[in-house]
Amino acid sequence: MEAPWRQGRGRGRGRPGAGLAGRAGAAARPPAPRARGGAGAAAAGTSGEGGSGECRVQLSSQKKFDEIKKANQAAAKKLVEDQFSSSSEDDDEDAEIKQGKILAKTFTIYTSQTDGDASELERTRQYMNEAFQSGAMTCLICIASVKRNQAVWSCCGCFCIFHLVCIQKWAKDSLFLVSSPLTDDDFGKKDYPWPCPKCRFEYKRSETPSRYYCYCGKVENPTLDPWLVPHSCGQICEREFKPSCGHKCLLLCHPGPCPPCPKMVTTTCHCKKAKPVPRRCSAKEWSCRLPCGRTLLCGQHACENSCHAGDCQPCPRVSKQRCICGRQTAERLCASPLWQCDQVCGKPLPCGNHTCEQVCHAGPCGDCPRSGKRSCPCEKSKFTLPCTEDVPTCGDSCDKVLECGIHKCSQRCHRGPCEICRQEVEKQCRCGKHTKRMPCHKPYLCETKCTKIRDCQKHQCRRKCCPGNCPPCDQVCGRTLGCRNHKCPSGCHRGSCNPCPETVDVKCNCGKTVIKVPCGRERTIKPPKCKQLCSRPPTCHHSTQEKHYCHFGRCPPCRQSCEKALTCGHLCPVSCHDEALVKQTGVHQSAGPWEQPSEPAFIRTALPCPPCQVPIPVECLGQHEVSPLPCHSANPYSCKRFCGRLLDCQNHTCMKECHHVTKLNGSADGKKAGPECLQCEEECTKPRPSGCPHRCVLPCHPGDCPSCLQMLKIKCHCKLSILYIECLKLTCADLAERELLTSCKNQCPKELPCGHRCKEVCHSGSCPLNCSQKVKLRCLCKRLKKEIQCSKIQEGQVSLECDALCKEMKRKASEIKEAEAKAAIEEEKRRQQAELEAFENRLKGRRKNKRRKDEVEVEQSSWQKYKNLIMLPVFGVAVVMV
């Protein structure tokens, strides 16, 4: 239990009955000063309310600092233990519990169909355990671990998992290697497949993966969820079972093959003799063990095997059977009744001259092959001769194409094969680099060796007179595989080598737990988690060590209680510290950051038992509280609170830090100040009357404060005059009296919304809106006017309309404007006509050379002549327009 003063709780200074205001002032004293008496105490007592915020800030800052310090120490200790400990059983147990929950959630729907039987899920469980185990899933292409947040692809044949980028590169390289020997004409005509790196299952070019999907293929780019199987979408798999039965997988999206179908169906045996019984869909085919009894293909015997699937086996019995021609009889298997003997048929043909030369056959022999029209040896002439006569030669040239494929046979029609071509031609060698004149039937091969690089892109062809289609490289690749342990045994090739097919056993420390990993991963994969208990003896003073699983390296630190007897008599309750990790300092001074430390940063050593922390109740010096203190420091202490004893002023309490107080003989009350307490030297802080801004003129005293007689300097309502009023009168006056006291008795200088000055005496608030000033109101044409009160105009109650004379004057003015507009339009038309005639005259003058130009005189209209003399009566006055 932590003491209250260490939890940041404490009492502030206050007056009895003063409420929150008094306590707020008391809490303003900072705990930092520890001056005793005299000037120090006076300074602490006169710091005022400005120190209250500093006190709270320092207390909260110290509390936060202690909390952060403890958290950092705990984190550093845990980091050191995790770094130097070779076993983490707690983390492993938590991971196994979490993994078990995820597996149970994945198998829930399946086990509900099988009444809890999970024996068929072992293979799928193995794949899922590998997905959870760090480093168990390895990409065979790059020989690297498959992480949770990486895009992967799973083979549908062997269910091996590869990185999506690796399998895309593998497919691209495989297709390139297959299609590289093709010519331009053949390229792209055939869809060459690419194989899986592990099981060699072939995929089409269009099946090359381009996107990252979950195991069941429903969700693209599945999100990483710690409560799901890695790379799973969490939905029901719903993939078709193999072999297909019409049902779908009930597991959640999972790696590896789907388990057998758990559905129950009613089915009969293979021979259909037994009654239908309910069975699992995955094992719906069953045998009743009775004889099959179906008739065999021989048609004579019945199947004697027990009830079986598929077709019956061939009949195993032996019987005498005739051959196809019926001449011979032999003992043969009943399952193969048809057979041929070695005798020639020999039956006479319809011609009567020849016999059938076919070996044992069924049916008629057919016509004589020498009957009908027959051709001569060169097939140019046909003859109809008896079958006893041979076809003669026709005497024409043979003209059959010889073996060279270029020349024809020049002999006369003859029997038998044609001779070889003996014509001499200019022949080119197979590689096309040399020519030579020689007989057509002889091949020409030069001695030039081919220098082209074979398909491995490493070795030359070196074949004599190579036509260009160099054979594949016959040397062994021999490159070191990705495992760094073996070399490639395949023929020399381009691109990446196939993954190493070997596997390596990785064992735990005791050797009882073994896992198989791809060759090359044994150096980076973590050892398997062994469930056997560690059998090493303890290295501390305890007789037995805590039970933990098999591990490499040192055993984890002992977590049992020390239980050694301390000097105070209590037992040490902390964890065993016989082998504590202690950082070495000052043993070796490095020359610079480039020098590697030659000694470990931490060493294991036995530490002494810490001081006893058993809580002992102890009272503080000021008798404020009784707090449990550790046994090793159970002495009278200062609780860091303020003393809190009532001073002689009866208003404040002692603000010294918790201290010893001498009890006087005459004072039995423990709440009164003693000679060690401070003396009150503050001003009076009692509340003043409402509205009085002055302080009490007396120092801190008991009883009520005297009345305030000071003068207040304030402005009147209109803010133009300064008034001096006694504070007591102003604070004791009601609203009406306060209104009179703060008025200067002059006319209000404020301006009304209409623009006139307020007529009232200096007052508070807004001015009245009933302005009595007289203003002139005019009609719309500004001819009529009238004086009316301003407030009525603002309210819109009065308006002045134009009379008949105003309307007549408006009408005459509009008529004059219309006449002027018409005259202007006519004048514009005449001007344009004159310009048009002048333009036409200029055009006529250009057509005829040296022709005199006609001067066009535009006659002024009557309006232009006499418009200056027109007199118009406007407003009763004659106006002459000039």
Side-chain angles (χ1 to χ4, degrees), residues 559-591:
R559 298 180 182 178
Q560 304 180 57
S561 298
C562 178
E563 299 297 334
K564 290 182 179 179
L566 302 176
T567 56
C568 61
H570 298 113
L571 298 178
C572 179
V574 299
S575 300
C576 180
H577 45 82
D578 287 350
E579 292 185 346
L581 291 173
V582 179
K583 185 177 181 181
Q584 278 188 323
T585 57
V587 177
H588 175 72
Q589 187 68 26
S590 59

Side-chain angles (χ1 to χ4, degrees), residues 390-652:
D390 294 332
V391 177
T393 58
C394 63
D396 197 358
S397 59
C398 180
D399 287 340
K400 289 183 180 179
V401 179
L402 299 177
E403 292 181 356
C404 65
I406 301 175
H407 306 104
K408 296 182 179 180
C409 180
S410 60
Q411 295 181 1
R412 291 187 179 276
C413 179
H414 60 88
R415 292 182 176 87
C418 299
E419 295 183 352
I420 59 176
C421 183
R422 300 182 183 277
Q423 296 189 26
E424 287 193 357
V425 294
E426 191 77 19
K427 298 196 72 174
Q428 191 175 24
C429 66
R430 190 167 57 182
C431 65
K433 295 182 179 180
H434 305 279
T435 58
K436 185 178 180 181
R437 192 166 186 84
M438 58 188 304
C440 183
H441 70 277
K442 291 185 178 181
Y444 177 39
L445 300 177
C446 67
E447 298 296 325
T448 304
K449 292 185 178 180
C450 180
T451 59
K452 289 184 178 180
I453 302 297
R454 294 192 178 185
D455 57 353
C456 65
Q457 298 297 320
K458 293 182 180 179
H459 306 106
Q460 289 183 346
C461 178
R462 307 301 295 171
R463 191 172 60 161
K464 291 184 179 181
C465 196
C466 180
N469 54 345
C470 302
C473 186
D474 54 357
Q475 299 187 29
V476 180
C477 176
R479 286 185 291 180
T480 303
L481 298 177
C483 64
R484 298 293 186 270
N485 296 328
H486 305 94
K487 293 186 178 181
C488 181
S490 304
C492 189
H493 58 85
R494 283 186 294 174
S496 302
C497 298
N498 292 337
C500 182
E502 301 294 333
T503 57
V504 180
D505 293 341
V506 178
K507 300 181 180 181
C508 66
N509 188 31
C510 65
K512 296 181 180 180
T513 304
V514 183
I515 60 173
K516 291 184 178 295
V517 297
C519 182
R521 290 289 296 167
E522 69 275 5
R523 292 185 291 270
T524 58
I525 196 170
K526 292 182 179 179
K529 298 176 182 178
C530 182
K531 296 299 182 181
Q532 301 295 328
L533 295 178
C534 180
S535 58
R536 298 179 183 178
T539 56
C540 59
H541 67 277
H542 293 101
S543 58
T544 58
Q545 63 175 351
E546 292 181 314
K547 293 183 179 180
H548 58 279
Y549 294 129
C550 169
H551 61 88
F552 288 91
R554 297 176 60 91
C555 290
C558 180
R559 298 180 182 178
Q560 304 180 57
S561 298
C562 178
E563 299 297 334
K564 290 182 179 179
L566 302 176
T567 56
C568 61
H570 298 113
L571 298 178
C572 179
V574 299
S575 300
C576 180
H577 45 82
D578 287 350
E579 292 185 346
L581 291 173
V582 179
K583 185 177 181 181
Q584 278 188 323
T585 57
V587 177
H588 175 72
Q589 187 68 26
S590 59
W594 58 86
E595 184 178 354
Q596 297 295 331
S598 57
E599 297 179 0
F602 293 87
I603 59 173
R604 294 181 180 271
T605 182
L607 297 178
C609 293
C612 182
Q613 300 291 334
V614 176
I616 304 296
V618 179
E619 188 177 21
C620 69
L621 295 173
Q623 301 177 356
H624 299 113
E625 63 180 18
V626 176
S627 297
L629 296 182
C631 179
H632 70 280
S633 60
N635 298 318
Y637 67 97
S638 173
C639 65
K640 306 300 180 182
R641 298 182 184 179
F642 299 121
C643 176
R645 297 177 181 269
L646 188 62
L647 299 179
D648 295 336
C649 64
Q650 302 296 321
N651 295 324
H652 301 102

Side-chain angles (χ1 to χ4, degrees), residues 341-357:
C341 62
D342 298 333
Q343 294 183 6
V344 179
C345 178
K347 292 180 181 180
L349 297 177
C351 65
N353 299 319
H354 302 94
T355 58
C356 180
E357 297 178 357

Side-chain angles (χ1 to χ4, degrees), residues 188-224:
K189 292 184 178 180
K190 185 176 180 181
D191 188 8
Y192 289 95
W194 56 272
C196 169
K198 183 178 181 182
C199 65
R200 317 307 294 178
F201 183 83
E202 292 186 347
Y203 293 89
K204 297 180 181 179
R205 182 192 297 266
S206 58
E207 294 177 345
T208 303
S210 60
R211 297 181 180 179
Y212 169 40
Y213 287 94
C214 62
Y215 296 114
C216 64
K218 293 180 181 178
V219 179
E220 181 180 355
N221 296 324
T223 57
L224 179 61

Side-chain angles (χ1 to χ4, degrees), residues 667-714:
S667 63
D669 189 2
K671 296 298 181 181
K672 290 187 178 181
E676 293 84 3
C677 295
L678 300 175
Q679 298 296 326
C680 183
E681 297 180 358
E682 297 186 2
E683 299 177 352
C684 179
T685 56
K686 292 183 178 180
R688 305 296 295 162
S690 178
C692 179
H694 309 104
R695 293 185 176 182
C696 180
V697 297
L698 299 178
C700 184
H701 60 86
D704 297 333
C705 298
S707 301
C708 182
L709 301 178
Q710 299 188 34
M711 300 297 290
L712 289 176
K713 180 181 178 181
I714 59 175

Side-chain angles (χ1 to χ4, degrees), residues 1-54:
M1 177 179 177
E2 191 175 3
W5 60 271
R6 293 188 181 275
Q7 299 175 1
R9 299 192 300 270
R11 302 175 188 169
R13 185 195 66 188
R15 297 187 304 273
L20 294 175
R23 286 196 296 273
R29 293 291 175 252
R34 296 191 179 182
R36 300 187 179 274
T46 58
S47 59
E49 297 184 2
S52 62
E54 298 177 1

